[in-house]
């Protein structure tokens, strides 16, 4: 019984940490900020390359 209680407590701690991290990401809108930064980096990489036009 004690092993089950310890495992359950550990699971609850992990789930609490995950929920806290997801709340922080949601609250500060960090996912959109990271994607905005990633799009800028991708645009910088691909804007430097020359495009072969076939026309």
């Amino acid at each position: 019984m004690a092993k089950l209680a310890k495992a359950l407590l550990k699971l609850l701690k992990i789930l609490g940490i995950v929920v806290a991290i997801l709340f922080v990401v949601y609250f500060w809108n960090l996912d959109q900020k990271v994607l905005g930064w990633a799009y800028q980096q991708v645009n910088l990489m691909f804007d430097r390359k020359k495009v072969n036009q076939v026309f």
Side-chain angles (χ1 to χ4, degrees):
M1 186 72 176
K3 289 183 182 180
L4 179 62
K6 285 183 181 180
L8 187 59
L9 185 61
K10 188 173 185 176
L11 179 65
L12 286 175
K13 284 182 182 179
I14 292 171
L15 288 175
I17 291 169
V18 168
V19 167
I21 290 171
L22 289 175
F23 177 75
V24 168
V25 167
Y26 171 76
F27 186 74
W28 280 314
N29 204 18
L30 295 177
D31 55 340
Q32 294 296 318
K33 291 178 183 178
V34 169
L35 282 178
W37 176 83
Y39 284 142
Q40 286 178 350
Q41 300 307 315
V42 169
N43 284 334
L44 285 174
M45 284 188 282
F46 286 105
D47 285 346
R48 291 185 286 187
K49 294 182 180 179
K50 293 182 180 180
V51 177
N52 294 333
Q53 292 186 354
V54 195
F55 301 73

